[in-house]
């Protein structure tokens, strides 16, 4: 008998239930992982609310780290006793143990702890593809990154500092601005007290930026376009304020022949070779001390609903984990 968080209908955090479940032996191609720590991410709230549709009833969570307990027929990528992490595959990481496809598991190097990596592997992998693949940031670039004090934003700030990129980060309070600066932001803009478009123009001497990274969505979309240089790239990778809808493509032409992309990590991790390459880049950044993924908030697995309440109320900063 093991325990897992499940939901039988979509809606508020109250629908997350801590349930006892029977876990069968891992099937062909599967591995059983006993979790040491489980990452909590904003995408989890999209599944819970129904913004991203999933069959019900459902488990929840995409990220976890722990020990391989057993493997099914045909599994060769991991063996029992391996320390592993994952951020893809079927929903269901909010569990003390689970079976999942072994193909999504990545072995951990000795210098990375399970609790440390679980607090930010999905976020770090997101930053890796945003800065290395969606738009290849290089030393000397000045970029705009919304929600700079969030889980992804703080890792992005550290990564940018390490590679010499000047990150302008937006935040919702002066305290969050201070945190973003401490993690590597070159400039911060409190969007509750400053016009971020005018500040971006001021910081860049009127040149504006070649790329905007936006996980906020509806609230920041129109003004973000005004921060871009001609032929600039608007990167949407989340919608914490609500999805962007009703886009008039003519606006992109009027504002400088802009490019727009809506990114997901899963498009990159569909290839195991790419996933391993990305993970190794993350591990190397951790090994060299260039990024720190340590959790800033820890909840018990049974308190997952409270973790979601705090996440949606913007009470959390940086990484959040559940511990079985």
């Amino acid at each position: 008998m093991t325990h897992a968080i499940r939901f039988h209908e979509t809606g508020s955090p109250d629908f997350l239930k801590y349930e006892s479940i029977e876990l069968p032996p891992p099937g062909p191609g599967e591995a059983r992982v006993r979790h040491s720590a489980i990452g909590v991410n904003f995408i989890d709230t999209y599944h819970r609310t129904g913004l991203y549709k999933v069959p019900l009833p459902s488990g929840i969570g995409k990220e976890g780290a722990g020990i391989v307990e057993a493997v099914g027929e045909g599994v060769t990528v991991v063996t029992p006793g391996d320390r592993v992490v994952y951020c893809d595959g079927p929903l269901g990481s909010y569990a003390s143990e689970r079976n999942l496809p072994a193909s999504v598991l990545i072995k951990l190097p000795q210098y990375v702890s399970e609790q440390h990596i679980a607090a930010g592997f999905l976020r770090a992998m997101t930053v890796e593809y945003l800065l290395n693949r969606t738009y290849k940031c290089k030393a000397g670039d000045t970029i705009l990154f919304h929600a700079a004090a969030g889980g992804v934003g703080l890792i992005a700030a550290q990564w940018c500092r390490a590679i010499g990129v000047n990150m302008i980060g937006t935040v919702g309070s002066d305290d969050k601005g201070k945190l973003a600066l401490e993690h590597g932001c070159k400039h911060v803009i409190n969007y509750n007290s400053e016009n971020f478009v005018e500040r971006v123009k001021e910081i860049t001497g009127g040149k504006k930026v070649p790329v905007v990274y936006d996980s906020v969505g509806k609230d920041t979309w129109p003004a973000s376009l005004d921060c871009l240089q001609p032929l600039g790239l608007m990167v949407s990778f989340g919608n914490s304020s609500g999805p962007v809808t009703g886009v008039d493509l003519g606006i992109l032409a009027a504002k400088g022949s802009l490019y727009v992309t809506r990114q997901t990590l899963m498009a990159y991790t569909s290839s195991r070779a790419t996933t391993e390459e990305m993970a190794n880049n993350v591990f190397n950044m951790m090994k060299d001390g260039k990024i720190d993924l340590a959790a800033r908030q820890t909840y018990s697995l049974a308190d997952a609903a409270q973790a979601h309440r705090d996440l949606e109320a913007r009470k959390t900063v940086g990484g959040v984990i559940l511990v079985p």
Side-chain angles (χ1 to χ4, degrees):
M1 186 71 70
T2 188
H3 291 92
I5 300 293
R6 295 175 60 77
F7 61 104
H8 297 257
E9 54 185 313
T10 56
S12 78
D14 295 337
F15 291 135
L16 296 179
K17 304 301 181 184
Y18 183 67
E19 300 179 349
S20 297
I21 60 171
E22 291 285 350
L23 196 61
E30 290 186 332
R32 176 181 292 184
V33 174
R34 172 171 49 83
H35 288 128
S36 304
I38 300 146
V40 177
N41 297 282
F42 217 94
I43 192 174
D44 303 343
T45 71
Y46 299 161
H47 294 131
R48 190 206 74 230
T49 60
L51 179 63
Y52 291 178
K53 305 297 183 185
V54 298
L56 297 177
S58 176
I60 188 168
K62 295 184 66 65
E63 175 177 36
I67 309 294
V68 175
E69 294 281 277
V71 298
E73 182 183 349
V75 172
T76 58
V77 292
V78 294
T79 58
D82 284 343
R83 300 166 58 249
V84 295
V85 66
Y86 65 93
C87 63
D88 202 358
L91 296 185
S93 66
Y94 288 23
S96 52
E97 295 181 62
R98 70 174 301 196
N99 296 330
L100 74 168
S103 59
V104 306
L105 300 176
I106 301 294
K107 293 182 185 180
L108 288 175
Q110 258 187 334
Y111 55 85
V112 176
S113 76
E114 294 134 51
Q115 290 208 356
H116 198 167
I117 193 67
F121 187 55
L122 187 148
R123 295 177 173 96
M125 292 283 276
T126 298
V127 171
E128 200 280 345
Y129 84 71
L130 289 174
L131 301 184
N132 286 344
R133 299 165 198 275
T134 304
Y135 177 90
K136 182 63 175 177
C137 291
K138 60 187 183 300
D141 282 346
T142 298
I143 68 169
L144 177 61
F145 207 105
H146 288 299
V152 173
L154 291 179
I155 297 170
Q158 295 173 74
W159 202 301
C160 284
R161 177 171 58 189
I163 64 175
V165 170
N166 302 310
M167 177 169 151
I168 305 171
T170 65
V171 295
S173 71
D174 291 341
D175 285 344
K176 288 188 174 184
K178 181 180 178 182
L179 185 66
L181 287 170
E182 290 171 351
H183 279 72
C185 263
K186 192 74 171 179
H187 307 274
V188 295
I189 303 170
N190 183 341
Y191 53 73
N192 285 319
S193 59
E194 302 175 276
N195 181 310
F196 72 78
V197 176
E198 294 306 314
R199 282 287 290 128
V200 166
K201 291 179 181 177
E202 181 183 330
I203 291 167
T204 61
K207 293 180 180 179
K208 301 190 281 189
V209 296
V211 60
V212 174
Y213 294 103
D214 186 5
S215 63
V216 178
K218 177 172 64 69
D219 290 353
T220 49
W221 164 262
S224 290
L225 299 180
D226 291 327
C227 295
L228 284 166
Q229 299 169 0
L231 305 180
L233 175 63
M234 175 69 181
V235 182
S236 172
F237 66 100
N239 30 242
S240 61
S241 69
V244 175
T245 59
V247 177
D248 177 2
L249 292 180
I251 291 175
L252 303 179
K255 293 184 181 294
S257 297
L258 304 178
Y259 294 88
V260 176
T261 181
R262 180 63 170 89
Q263 295 279 290
T264 66
L265 175 62
M266 287 68 74
Y268 295 92
T269 56
S270 60
S271 160
R272 182 166 179 87
T274 301
T275 303
E276 290 179 340
E277 178 184 300
M278 294 169 65
N280 285 331
N281 287 340
V282 170
F283 297 153
N284 287 334
M285 292 289 277
M286 295 175 70
K287 182 180 182 180
D288 295 338
K290 293 175 180 176
I291 61 171
D292 181 3
L293 308 186
R296 290 179 172 270
Q297 292 85 198
T298 300
Y299 300 79
S300 70
L301 176 60
D303 290 334
Q306 187 59 49
H308 274 225
R309 293 186 193 99
D310 291 347
L311 187 66
E312 291 178 305
R314 303 292 194 275
K315 292 181 179 179
T316 64
V317 176
V320 179
I321 60 171
L322 305 174
V323 177

